[in-house]
Amino acid sequence: RREVDEESTNTDYALNLQTKLTDRLSLSLDGDYTKSVKKNLDVSIMGSTWADQELDLTGDLPVVIPHKPNYLGYSWAGPNPTLGAMSDAQYFADKRVQFWRSAMDHIENSTGSEFQFRGDLAYDFDETSFLRQLKFGARYADRDQTVRYTTYNWGVLSEVWAGNTPVSVSQVGSGNVDFYAFPDFFRGQSPGPAGAYYYNGDLIGDYAGSSTFAKSVNAAWVANGGNAGWVPLAERGGVATGTAFLPSEIQPVSQQDTALYLQAKFGSEDFGGMRLSGNIGVRYVSSDIRSDGQISVGTQQQLGISQPYSVRCAPVTRPGIGGTIPAGGLCSTLNATQYAALQTFANGSNLFDSAQSNYDYFLPSFNAKLGVSDDVNFRFAASKVLTRPDNAYLRNFLNTGLDGA
């Protein structure tokens, strides 16, 4: 189950002045100040179950029918007579066959402000003149933003690949779930997914309560031989005091843009018996950007290596079968010495980094329209343009992690 609460607030103040200095010379000025705040809280608690799937392609619509697993009756799998005797509906409604798998949270609290100025000066020529208007203008924008954007903080609550067994809904949270059966799926024309139990608390409104619940599931798994897993963002090691953000998740970005342009408009109602109009101009743009951030190494907790090697990489007991198998993930590639070296490396340090860039371009443009008759016009346009990167690509950060660990 997932809940997302996102709010964006934009406040804008603008002032515009237009005046004619002479019959032919006009001036237009604009000033604008904008302030923005974006907040986001995204929380998920996920579960899982075991099922076989029947796929029926004989009708107009594909039909996927979940069934209880066949292996419940296999001798080699340690048969479970109680579950094996259940119908499919009884099986999927049993809290013992659904377990808590993972949790994830994400928070954003970004702020930004911008001041921009625009000025245009235009001179109009006689209507009979081929040169119709000459226009000069300037633009300036000063942007400052602070991006506070956490990772999508996924973490295990319980699993099948470590510990003796994952934590079922019947073991933890039996009173914190509701069963949802996906009624009127495809308007009743196709069977829906098997019903399942979903956490019934308020993930957003009671974020602290849902976090406490998720941690209790992981604590039960750890007590049963599992690994330490998900913790809320604010409880990660190394977060900035009083926040849920690591230093590497806070990136101030400032940008100053300056532009000047000169444009000439031309036209004639009798250009060799045809109508001609268009413009030609050039624009100069200059940008200065600074992006501050952190290079984060990460902590042992964040990388999932806070436990000793003997615990983290202990052989896993096969439930219902007996015997053990080697632990997977990084335990399959690192020995005890290498694991200890990785723990030493993961000291949670952050290195400040500031990146600066500046660039400028001349951008010419030309547009023309030729009317050869009342119904037929030919157009031609050519220009050089500049597309600025999205602000997300200006953030300065680097996080380290472990894949497939």
Side-chain angles (χ1 to χ4, degrees), residues 193-222:
Y197 290 97
Y198 293 87
Y199 178 71
N200 60 14
D202 189 344
L203 295 172
I204 298 295
D206 188 21
Y207 173 50
S210 58
S211 297
T212 299
F213 171 78
K215 289 193 297 179
S216 72
V217 174
N218 184 240
W221 190 49
V222 171

